[in-house]
Every structure is written in C-alpha cells, then in structure tokens.
Amino acid sequence: MPVKHIATGEIHQGLKGGTTGCGFDTTERPSHWTNTSKPITCSKNGCKN
C-alpha cells in the first residue's frame, strides 16, 4: 500500500509506521504521513519501478 507525505503530496511505496521504498522513515514524524490507495508519484530509486 502506498503512503502519502502530507506536506509535499508525494506518494511513496511503503506503509505508515515503516520505511518508504526510497528510504524515508515514516515513524520519525508519523503525523506527516498517511496510507493511501493512490498511485505512487515518487520517482526515486526504490519507489518507482
């Protein structure tokens, strides 16, 4: 399930409470992240295939 960074609106591969595909730790500021079903928009290595 993708996870959305609320401040930027960017959607990453991963789950809230873990690490995104490109390496962001969603446990550091959990209020900045939300799970979503929208398509991944992050183009960094590990998120976008």
Side-chain angles (χ1 to χ4, degrees), residues 2 7 14 16 22 24-25:
K16 183 175 178 178
C22 62
F24 286 109
D25 183 356

Side-chain angles (χ1 to χ4, degrees), residues 7-48:
T8 63
E10 195 165 44
I11 300 171
H12 300 266
Q13 179 178 316
L15 291 172
K16 183 175 178 178
T19 304
T20 67
C22 62
F24 286 109
D25 183 356
T26 65
T27 62
E28 285 185 18
R29 292 189 175 94
S31 63
H32 290 197
W33 299 91
T34 184
N35 288 323
T36 184
S37 60
K38 294 184 179 182
I40 294 168
T41 60
C42 178
S43 60
K44 293 179 184 169
N45 191 22
C47 278
K48 195 72 169 180

